[in-house]
Amino acid sequence: MTDAQIVELGLQAMTIAAKMCAPVLVTALLIGFAISLFQSVTQIQEATLSFVPKAVGVGAAILFSGNWMLHEMVTFTTQLFLKIPMLVG
């Protein structure tokens, strides 16, 4: 196994991880920004106000993108298992 192959596998793993966490993180970011904007406009400084909408939004993001995430992970794992003979030998 060469250094280039190790770097390629690491790059692929980090790319898959970034693609899989993007929908959840972007959803939480947008909801958090909207709630913060609402709180600053109305001057309501309640810390627990942002938790429930974020939890619901992240749950919805996982519900809608979960199938795609699972497909991406299974594809990556299958490709990795198929490369094992080439990497070892």
Side-chain angles (χ1 to χ4, degrees):
M1 197 164 170
T2 65
D3 294 340
Q5 291 173 330
I6 293 171
V7 170
E8 180 185 349
L9 285 177
L11 181 64
Q12 287 177 352
M14 287 189 288
T15 304
I16 290 292
K19 282 178 17 179
M20 286 177 45
C21 70
V24 174
L25 291 178
V26 169
T27 301
L29 176 74
L30 292 176
I31 291 173
F33 178 73
I35 298 272
S36 296
L37 187 64
F38 174 74
Q39 283 180 333
S40 66
V41 168
T42 60
Q43 296 182 353
I44 298 173
Q45 299 301 323
E46 181 64 34
T48 59
L49 180 65
S50 66
F51 178 73
V52 173
K54 275 187 195 177
V56 171
V58 166
I62 290 173
L63 182 68
F64 290 125
S65 63
N67 187 25
W68 169 77
M69 289 177 176
L70 183 64
H71 176 70
E72 287 288 319
M73 195 61 175
V74 167
T75 302
F76 174 72
T77 306
T78 304
Q79 289 175 356
L80 188 62
F81 283 158
L82 292 176
K83 288 182 185 178
I84 287 177
M86 182 187 72
L87 296 174
V88 173

